Amino acid sequence: MIPTDLAGIEQAVATGALPGWDRVEELVVEAHRRHSADDSGAVADYIPLLGAADPSLFGLAVVDASGGVHDAGDALHEFSIQSISKMFVYALAIQAHGHARVRDIVGVNNTGLAFNSVMALELNGGHPMNPMVNAGAIATTALMTGADADEKWERIRDGLSAFAGRELPFDDEVYHSEMKTNERNRALGRLLSSYGRLTGDSDEIVDVYTRQCALNVTAHDLAVMGATLADGGVNPVTGERVVSADVCRDTLAVVAASGLYERSGEWLFEIGLPAKSGVSGGIVAVSPGKGAAGAFSPRLDSAGNSVRAQLAIGHLSRSLGLNLFASAPQARDAREGR
Ligand code: GLN
């Protein structure tokens, strides 16, 4: 565990802002245009219904922390949120239980293994390690408050809808398609139970987890949801406070470490932003204080991350100055003022 002694120290914040609306609009349109011809990768089909997605779809959206909205291409096309739900349910769980408790139960370190790895769980004595892989996400869903599975599900649906600023529709067909083929997630749930790391009925929890993955979003929704985490927990479009600023900080740290599964280190190195992907082809990337990008295109690389979404967000990270690690020397007069 990292030693910390932060009691009584106020969280100070120092972040910049995005360029003006017109410039952001121009860059979003440009990023979309530049990567629309790329047709590498393959549509996921381990959940049968996902295999039917139209691979030519490509949506891109940016929402800035002051509520400015930019959509390009198929930004309003709906798809199931899948793994991207993990980060928002995690935020809701921290909001309910606090930083330390969720850290201890679910963990915050990358597994270095695939999102649905059973081995990762075995290697770590049944500790899921982080909430962005399936085992940790199932353990996080189990932490949702509510007397039973239905109440947990309602709170997840309401919470994710508050992040998006609209009631997110549930895709019954995707849910049933995944329920027929999710033995692996059920196995992860049972393993967690066998290690005493999941309270409640594991099949019921996996059912709720599968429901949360079947909520429909658009690239535009993802950008609004991400921008809520970029805006200290207040949805910049609706003005609603969804979670606290501390919860946003905690969530984005974990997303940075593990949001693109075993490629997370490479992603941070190349693109420099916390981002979360899902197998239906969505990615959301968040630049704290500035805003967020949502992208969608169904063709995935071998780690299960959308190729075009990675390209477009990488483009925007650079052109919009979203990369967390980029800096330029301060102007001379600012130095002289010291
Ligand atoms: N529902 C999917 C699963 O659990 C989500 C995985 C993903 O998007 N990577 O397998």
Side-chain angles (χ1 to χ4, degrees):
M1 191 123 91
I2 300 285
T4 58
D5 181 9
L6 300 172
I9 305 172
E10 281 279 318
Q11 174 73 67
V13 176
T15 49
L18 290 184
W21 192 92
D22 291 350
R23 180 70 183 139
V24 178
E25 180 74 8
E26 196 183 318
L27 293 172
V28 170
V29 170
E30 184 187 296
H32 183 270
R33 190 182 315 122
R34 174 150 160 174
H35 305 290
S36 15
D38 193 301
D39 63 358
S40 45
V43 178
D45 57 5
Y46 77 97
I47 299 171
L49 209 73
L50 293 186
D54 173 358
S56 70
L57 289 164
F58 180 26
L60 183 61
V62 166
V63 171
D64 72 44
S66 55
V69 170
H70 310 267
D71 289 338
D74 303 308
L76 300 181
H77 178 87
E78 286 191 351
F79 54 93
S80 54
I81 188 169
Q82 297 299 337
S83 264
I84 301 173
S85 64
K86 292 171 169 130
M87 69 190 268
F88 298 101
V89 175
Y90 182 61
L92 297 174
I94 306 177
Q95 185 68 45
H97 299 285
H99 174 100
R101 178 143 187 252
V102 182
R103 177 197 60 206
D104 295 347
I105 296 176
V106 187
V108 294
N109 283 320
N110 194 294
T111 64
L113 293 164
F115 69 90
N116 56 1
S117 175
V118 173
M119 199 161 69
L121 202 50
E122 287 290 285
L123 286 173
N124 294 292
H127 193 278
M129 301 303 284
N130 80 71
M132 300 299 136
V133 293
N134 287 13
I138 292 165
T140 305
T141 296
L143 288 178
M144 283 302 294
T145 56
D148 55 22
D150 285 341
E151 233 175 84
K152 286 182 200 291
W153 159 236
E154 250 171 62
R155 291 190 182 161
I156 289 175
R157 187 179 184 162
D158 290 350
L160 268 58
S161 296
F163 272 110
R166 70 170 184 124
E167 188 163 335
L168 294 176
F170 175 64
D171 192 329
D172 208 47
E173 268 190 289
V174 166
Y175 162 71
H176 282 107
S177 181
E178 183 162 2
M179 280 306 280
K180 277 194 212 130
T181 52
N182 71 348
E183 281 87 358
R184 198 175 174 91
N185 285 340
R186 269 179 268 191
L188 288 170
R190 288 184 185 190
L191 255 182
L192 284 164
S193 284
S194 79
Y195 279 110
R197 296 201 182 268
L198 194 125
T199 39
D201 181 287
S202 77
D203 282 354
E204 270 180 31
I205 300 297
V206 171
D207 182 80
V208 177
Y209 165 77
T210 309
R211 283 171 196 264
Q212 81 188 42
C213 290
L215 279 172
N216 271 352
V217 290
T218 63
H220 173 95
D221 290 328
L222 289 180
V224 178
M225 295 171 88
T228 302
L229 292 174
D231 188 35
V234 173
N235 182 317
V237 177
T238 63
E240 185 187 347
R241 171 163 294 285
V242 183
V243 288
S244 73
D246 284 355
V247 165
C248 296
R249 184 203 55 218
D250 291 349
T251 304
L252 293 177
V254 171
V255 169
S258 300
L260 266 75
Y261 318 117
E262 69 273 31
R263 301 264 164 89
S264 300
E266 243 178 283
W267 169 265
L268 215 48
F269 183 69
E270 303 293 350
I271 313 299
L273 274 179
K276 183 77 202 86
S277 67
V279 282
S280 47
I283 298 188
V284 60
V286 182
S287 193
K290 294 180 180 163
F296 165 68
S297 197
R299 287 198 187 91
L300 313 179
D301 67 13
S302 59
N305 301 315
S306 165
V307 177
R308 282 184 189 152
Q310 290 179 81
L311 289 169
I313 290 175
H315 186 133
L316 289 175
S317 175
R318 183 168 288 227
S319 62
L320 280 174
L322 304 177
N323 191 316
L324 299 182
F325 306 108
S327 65
Q330 290 221 355
R332 248 196 117 61
D333 39 346
R335 286 178 193 276
E336 274 157 12
R338 268 183 211 153

